[in-house]
Amino acid sequence: MSDMQTDSVEEMATPPQTNVDWKGRWSHIRKALDRTGPFCHPDFTPGEEIRNFLRVCKILVIGAGGLGCEILKNLALSGFRDIHVIDMDTIDVSNLNRQFLFRPSDVGRPKAIVAAEFIMKRVEGVKVTPYFGKIQDKDEEYYSQFQLVICGLDSVEARRWINATLVNMVDDETPESIKPLIDGGTEGFKGQARVILPTISSCYECSLDMLNKPTTYPICTIANTPRLPEHCIEWASVLEWPKVHGDKKLDTDDPEHIKWLFDTASARAKHFNIVGVTYTLTQGVVKNIIPAIASTNAVIAAACTNEAFKIATSSVPYLDNYMMYTGNESVYTYTFQHQRKPDCSVCGTVSVTVQVNPEWTLLEFIEYLTENPDIQLKKPSLRLPNQSLYMQAPPALEQATRLNLTKQMKDLVNTGDEITVTDLTLPISMTIKVETNSQPTR
């Protein structure tokens, strides 16, 4: 989005009102902030000062989709007046059934801008400043202006990036540099909400091993012996599309491309007597669509907003630090304290130690880093203090280090060596200490 577009939207945003209508729209908030009670936080001091802080508290919402729309609405109705929102997507027809800030006339427009306009139109006195773009577009100076950050994302990579950024911003001598991160996520009837205090509590990276490993299918299976409808769809997208269309890139948002995949997969399924290939399943496989239910979004968004309110006002102790919600079998919630890992690659105080088979090639070691549930890198570049082992970019450096991929680890590193790793998923580098082990750990 151009600067002109950004400026024009920000000019529409009126600053938060100085004379707040505590007897009208936000009277219910005043009742919660004007008195103490048996469940209040020990640091809570009721009265005008805490109400004014809530009014000027600057909060960032990342994501304006199913969760983000609910969070923005809840924040505006909970007394927050200075809200910012970031989203890189535009509105699609498929969003309208659960992302209630959008209308059919908004299709094609940026989600962040439309959501900001809607909230400010419906809740007078609230300023919502949108940014149509990626979170990676902004630097630490931008994020340092906020008191709180809430994530309503559907991307693990984006969560890892903002988590690492906020951890990296912490200055031990400046308490204000700690920006609490509240993260919410849903999948069908299940969801989670958590509070992350960078460098104090368990961070997002500490809990990577809790994530389900992405579903993959062996090429030999989808090419020769398909047994599931998903195998047929993968065959159509991974093998048949490039064979038929050459260098033409598959656009998973193009209905014609999805229709081609559906027809091709259906024909292959019929040949192998496999049933179950549908247009919806085809979309789900190639786009890795996570099922979304509006009511689950509402539950998790409410939990995230409540935690933001509790942190901003100290009116009630906040979540410590992970809440799981399961609605697919009755209704079940479970809260526990996820422990911080001393060797976490982002917030840990010691290096990550990896047991390495000296017979591995460097390529096998890189594959291990991408598969390890505690690390989960995507395209790592590796270097020792005195030499580069393998660099993904720029092209000249990648070519210069490519020969190392076939070399064995025993010829490249020694036990105790520390490898500096950079990756697309993280805004910071991580340090891996190598310990050789004759037994493979993969």
Side-chain angles (χ1 to χ4, degrees):
M1 185 176 66
S2 67
D3 292 338
M4 183 178 296
Q5 287 175 298
T6 305
D7 293 341
S8 64
V9 173
E10 291 182 352
E11 288 174 2
M12 294 172 57
T14 57
Q17 290 179 331
T18 55
N19 296 320
V20 181
D21 182 15
W22 289 109
K23 295 183 180 180
R25 181 186 294 275
W26 290 286
S27 60
H28 59 295
I29 301 300
R30 178 165 186 165
K31 293 176 182 178
L33 299 180
D34 272 4
R35 58 189 178 190
T36 60
F39 302 108
C40 286
H41 191 281
D43 296 335
F44 176 58
T45 303
E48 186 69 24
E49 184 177 350
I50 195 65
R51 295 201 304 267
N52 286 337
F53 176 77
L54 186 64
R55 176 177 59 82
V56 300
C57 178
K58 189 175 290 188
I59 189 166
L60 173 65
V61 178
I62 301 178
L67 264 179
C69 284
E70 290 278 358
I71 291 170
L72 287 168
K73 177 261 294 181
N74 290 348
L75 290 173
L77 296 177
S78 297
F80 291 93
R81 307 293 197 283
D82 196 353
I83 305 169
H84 293 240
V85 57
I86 292 180
D87 196 290
M88 61 179 288
D89 290 336
T90 55
I91 299 166
D92 185 77
V93 173
S94 62
N95 302 144
L96 301 179
N97 67 335
R98 65 195 180 281
Q99 298 174 21
F100 59 89
L101 301 183
F102 311 139
R103 300 292 180 266
S105 59
D106 297 321
V107 170
R109 296 187 63 203
K111 289 183 178 180
I113 294 176
V114 175
E117 292 174 347
F118 192 100
I119 293 294
M120 288 189 292
K121 181 179 178 181
R122 293 294 295 270
V123 187
E124 184 180 355
V126 173
K127 174 186 175 183
V128 184
T129 304
Y131 177 71
F132 172 41
K134 299 179 180 179
I135 55 175
Q136 293 86 348
D137 296 341
K138 301 296 187 179
D139 56 18
E140 289 187 2
E141 183 179 358
Y142 172 81
Y143 291 108
S144 66
Q145 67 181 302
F146 302 106
Q147 278 75 49
L148 288 166
V149 178
I150 302 183
C151 286
L153 291 163
D154 58 2
S155 165
V156 171
E157 289 183 17
R159 286 186 174 98
R160 294 180 70 181
W161 191 92
I162 190 63
N163 171 76
T165 296
L166 296 182
V167 170
N168 196 48
M169 287 169 51
V170 174
D171 180 353
D172 292 337
E173 298 181 357
T174 310
E176 294 78 12
S177 65
I178 299 176
K179 311 295 180 183
L181 173 64
I182 301 168
D183 177 55
T186 66
E187 181 177 344
F189 287 101
K190 297 182 290 184
Q192 55 85 19
R194 64 185 301 182
V195 172
I196 297 171
L197 301 180
T199 72
I200 297 176
S201 67
S202 164
C203 79
Y204 188 80
E205 203 77 11
C206 291
S207 59
L208 277 186
D209 55 355
M210 294 177 61
L211 302 178
N212 293 327
K213 189 175 180 179
T215 301
T216 57
Y217 303 102
I219 289 293
C220 58
T221 299
I222 65 175
N224 302 312
T225 56
R227 300 182 300 276
L228 303 171
E230 290 85 353
H231 293 163
C232 300
I233 297 168
E234 282 284 288
W235 173 83
S237 61
V238 175
L239 299 179
E240 199 65 8
W241 176 273
K243 179 180 177 181
V244 174
H245 298 278
D247 294 334
K248 184 177 180 180
K249 186 178 179 180
L250 174 64
D251 184 356
T252 57
D253 290 320
D254 188 328
E256 293 185 3
H257 289 195
I258 298 296
K259 179 66 164 55
W260 186 91
L261 293 178
F262 167 61
D263 292 339
T264 306
S266 296
R268 184 169 178 80
K270 183 177 180 181
H271 177 75
F272 284 91
N273 296 317
I274 298 172
V275 297
V277 175
T278 65
Y279 186 88
T280 301
L281 180 63
T282 303
Q283 282 184 307
V285 170
V286 299
K287 297 182 69 173
N288 193 27
I289 293 176
I290 299 173
I293 297 176
S295 54
T296 309
N297 286 341
V299 170
I300 299 303
C304 290
T305 306
N306 280 346
E307 296 311 313
F309 183 85
K310 289 188 282 186
I311 293 173
T313 64
S314 295
S315 55
V316 179
Y318 51 79
L319 179 66
D320 184 22
N321 52 29
Y322 201 111
M323 185 275 286
M324 299 177 63
Y325 168 82
T326 304
N328 55 329
E329 296 181 6
S330 185
V331 174
Y332 174 75
T333 59
Y334 176 60
T335 301
F336 65 96
Q337 184 186 65
H338 191 279
Q339 296 297 316
R340 184 181 176 191
K341 292 184 176 179
D343 62 346
C344 172
S345 59
V346 171
C347 74
T349 55
V350 298
S351 301
V352 179
T353 300
V354 174
Q355 298 293 325
V356 178
N357 186 336
E359 303 296 324
W360 282 355
T361 63
L362 181 60
L363 178 60
E364 289 177 310
F365 177 64
I366 291 175
E367 290 175 348
Y368 169 78
L369 295 181
T370 63
E371 296 170 357
N372 188 305
D374 291 324
I375 302 175
Q376 296 189 31
L377 299 179
K378 191 172 183 180
K379 295 182 66 176
S381 295
L382 297 81
R383 65 179 185 274
L384 292 170
N386 57 350
Q387 70 167 323
S388 296
L389 294 177
Y390 180 69
M391 306 301 290
Q392 299 280 353
L397 194 52
E398 190 281 331
Q399 185 175 1
T401 56
R402 190 182 302 166
L403 290 176
N404 286 340
L405 293 175
T406 58
K407 295 181 180 180
Q408 292 183 320
M409 292 297 290
K410 64 183 179 181
D411 297 324
L412 297 172
V413 298
N414 298 312
T415 294
D417 280 353
E418 292 189 343
I419 301 175
T420 300
V421 182
T422 56
D423 191 77
L424 295 174
T425 58
L426 298 173
I428 60 175
S429 61
M430 61 184 295
T431 301
I432 292 180
K433 185 176 181 180
V434 175
E435 295 289 346
T436 57
N437 183 346
S438 60
Q439 297 299 320
T441 57
R442 295 182 65 186

